[in-house]
């Protein structure tokens, strides 16, 4: 049985569409850079180092044994900027319950200092490279969007992840003591 030109046109169209979908998927979800492992819920987070806006190095392990909410943000991110007062209020309500909130800025030191001068927060804010170990990608932010948050339990394992902003009640539920 010989195949006519219509058959081959359909075959080529299907192959072209499949190839286009694969290319678009890789564009939206590129593989992590060499040396970066992407953690999932239930995993231990990467060994992460951060730098405060004053230049002081910090380690994620500095908060070991606490329930830690890590919020990745940037000063140029409108939703991030609107979310920070909620995070600050939640931190104030829960800080005496073995809870820490960390703001990790995927931004420049100058941008972060300028923002914090206008809108200070009471929780620690540090700088991190998005694609480095300790950046949001290594905590599961494969869509690479901000804000992005991760909750780490007292045992050091990732409990939850969230793309987008929180509501006040949602933050309280995330930061409530483990049951």
């Amino acid at each position: 049985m010989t195949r006519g030109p219509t058959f081959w046109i359909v075959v080529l169209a299907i192959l072209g569409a499949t190839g286009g979908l694969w290319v678009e998927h890789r564009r939206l979800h590129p593989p992590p850079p060499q040396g970066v492992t992407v953690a999932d819920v239930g995993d231990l987070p990467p060994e992460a180092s951060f730098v405060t806006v004053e230049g002081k190095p910090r380690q994620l392990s500095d908060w070991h044994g606490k329930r830690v909410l890590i919020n990745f943000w940037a000063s140029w991110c409108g939703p991030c900027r609107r979310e920070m007062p909620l995070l600050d209020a939640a931190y104030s309500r829960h800080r005496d319950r073995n809870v820490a909130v960390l703001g990790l800025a995927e931004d420049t030191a100058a941008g972060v200092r300028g923002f914090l001068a206008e809108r200070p927060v009471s929780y620690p804010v540090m700088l991190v490279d998005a694609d480095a170990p300790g950046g949001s990608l290594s905590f599961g932010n494969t869509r690479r969007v901000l804000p992005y948050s991760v909750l780490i339990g007292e045992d050091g394992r990732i409990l939850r992840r969230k793309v987008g902003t929180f509501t006040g009640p949602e933050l309280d539920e995330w930061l409530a003591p483990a049951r």
Side-chain angles (χ1 to χ4, degrees):
M1 172 172 165
T2 61
R3 311 249 191 238
T6 304
F7 172 81
W8 292 111
I9 290 170
V10 170
V11 167
L12 289 174
I14 290 171
L15 289 172
T18 302
L21 288 171
W22 181 83
V23 167
E24 182 65 6
H25 174 77
R26 294 303 277 180
R27 185 184 70 78
L28 293 174
H29 304 284
Q34 182 104 13
V36 174
T37 301
V38 178
D40 203 351
V41 171
D43 291 345
L44 290 170
E47 292 295 323
S49 297
F50 316 115
V51 178
T52 66
V53 290
E54 297 81 25
K56 179 182 175 190
R58 297 294 306 260
Q59 303 290 319
L60 180 57
S61 60
D62 294 348
W63 290 275
H64 185 73
K66 291 183 178 264
R67 190 174 190 87
V68 180
L69 173 65
I70 299 174
N71 177 256
F72 293 93
W73 69 286
S75 63
W76 45 262
C77 168
C80 301
R81 294 168 65 100
R82 289 188 296 276
E83 181 179 55
M84 290 182 78
L86 280 175
L87 291 164
D88 197 36
Y91 176 61
S92 294
R93 285 191 304 278
H94 294 277
R95 70 189 318 162
D96 295 333
R97 299 182 185 150
N98 202 35
V99 167
V101 173
L102 307 179
L104 297 184
E106 295 184 346
D107 203 336
T108 64
V112 172
R113 277 193 295 271
F115 176 79
L116 292 175
E118 295 173 17
R119 293 184 178 171
V121 294
S122 57
Y123 57 88
V125 173
M126 291 156 287
L127 302 167
V128 65
D129 180 353
D131 289 337
S136 66
L137 176 61
S138 65
F139 282 88
N141 187 9
T142 57
R143 292 176 51 201
R144 300 180 185 195
V145 296
L146 298 175
Y148 180 77
S149 298
V150 176
L151 182 65
I152 298 173
E154 292 88 343
D155 67 352
R157 296 197 176 275
I158 296 174
L159 299 175
R160 300 171 89 170
R161 300 182 302 196
K162 177 178 176 61
V163 173
T165 58
F166 283 102
T167 64
E170 188 178 23
L171 270 170
D172 287 335
E173 189 257 322
W174 271 49
L175 298 176
R179 296 172 206 163

